[in-house]
Amino acid sequence: MPALGLFGGSFDPLHLGHLLVAQAALEELVLDRLVFLPAAQSPFKPGTTPALAAARLRMLRQSLAGQVRMSVDDLEIRRGGVSFTVETCREFSRRLPGWRLLWLIGADHVPTLPLWRDAEQLARIVEFIIIPRPGEPQATLPPPYRLHPLRGWPLKVSSSEIRDRVKAGLPIHHLVPAVVAEVIECENLYRPILRR
Ligand code: ATP
């Protein structure tokens, strides 16, 4: 049965931690493909406004250009509003009957997974790939949840740290793909607005 990895997040911006985890998931779970799904509005970050969807999408698309097994899908951005995982997964199970669907989540989110919208139905549609975060203990949940812990490659970098570094004028090369650093620079993302 073919297997598809689904990687949701704000990707504000995409960083090397995301890409390493995506590659680890492809290899360890023997996925056929993996799709990045930038959220319109994350249910976990109410009250925060991510950078413009167009800029987040551009960074993802340019970083993944030429990749054979990884791609970007903007369905959550097109749907708009809060991006609930179950709605996205229902759409993929409609589109791809007969495929195994596996949703990537950070180990830090596992304890609250049963509180996500329509969690039990979600757990029947998708299996979960658990991303190790440095310092997080191994997470478990009873059935119907099906969890697959990932081994590679925890990297202690976050999008908020990248945004803070840009704001402070610190370099971000080696933490993000080169094209992401370029888009941030050219489009003046994450910098404080200078007033006279
Ligand atoms: P922020 O710092 O703004 O909260 P983030 O770096 O956690 O952002 P998101 O786009 O919100 O990035 O994360 C999308 C997914 O990627 C989440 O499941 C998150 O757990 C995972 N993730 C984020 N950073 C890393 C990392 N360094 N290594 C592995 N997975 C990560």
Side-chain angles (χ1 to χ4, degrees):
M1 187 187 272
L4 176 71
L6 300 166
F7 194 5
S10 301
F11 304 112
D12 188 21
L14 174 74
H15 54 67
L16 294 187
H18 296 131
L19 290 174
L20 285 173
V21 149
Q23 185 63 32
L26 277 170
E27 292 175 13
E28 291 179 34
L29 278 300
V30 198
L31 305 177
D32 294 274
R33 279 164 202 278
L34 183 139
V35 182
F36 286 77
L37 296 154
Q41 173 71 53
S42 164
F44 307 115
K45 300 175 185 172
T48 64
T49 314
L52 282 181
R56 291 184 291 126
L57 266 174
R58 204 157 29 247
M59 291 189 275
L60 275 161
R61 288 195 173 127
Q62 292 191 12
S63 302
L64 298 176
Q67 290 278 338
V68 176
R69 290 196 292 160
M70 294 187 204
S71 58
V72 189
D73 193 310
D74 63 355
L75 90 162
E76 292 194 340
I77 285 169
R78 280 186 281 107
R79 194 168 70 225
V82 177
S83 303
F84 290 107
T85 303
V86 70
E87 292 174 14
T88 304
C89 293
R90 282 186 192 124
E91 170 65 25
F92 274 97
S93 70
R94 267 195 298 270
R95 281 189 204 173
L96 298 171
W99 279 63
R100 247 179 103 197
L101 302 178
L102 299 100
W103 187 273
L104 280 94
I105 64 166
D108 47 326
H109 287 303
V110 174
T112 58
L113 191 46
L115 304 176
W116 289 17
R117 175 170 287 194
D118 297 341
E120 296 225 338
Q121 194 200 5
L122 174 66
R124 287 192 184 86
I125 302 175
V126 294
E127 299 164 49
F128 293 94
I129 302 175
I130 312 303
I131 303 168
R133 298 297 294 256
E136 267 312 303
Q138 183 96 5
T140 56
L141 278 179
Y145 299 94
R146 293 163 289 170
L147 311 185
H148 305 280
L150 209 56
R151 284 195 312 277
W153 290 275
L155 179 69
K156 200 185 152 301
V157 57
S158 64
S159 297
S160 33
E161 196 174 352
I162 307 287
R163 296 194 300 272
D164 288 347
R165 289 183 68 85
V166 173
K167 202 167 159 188
L170 296 168
I172 55 166
H173 302 100
H174 313 302
L175 298 172
V176 295
V179 284
V180 167
E182 214 162 298
V183 171
I184 290 174
E185 164 116 30
C186 293
E187 302 193 16
N188 243 315
L189 301 178
Y190 312 128
R191 267 184 250 289
I193 298 163
L194 295 175
R195 293 178 204 282
R196 286 171 185 244

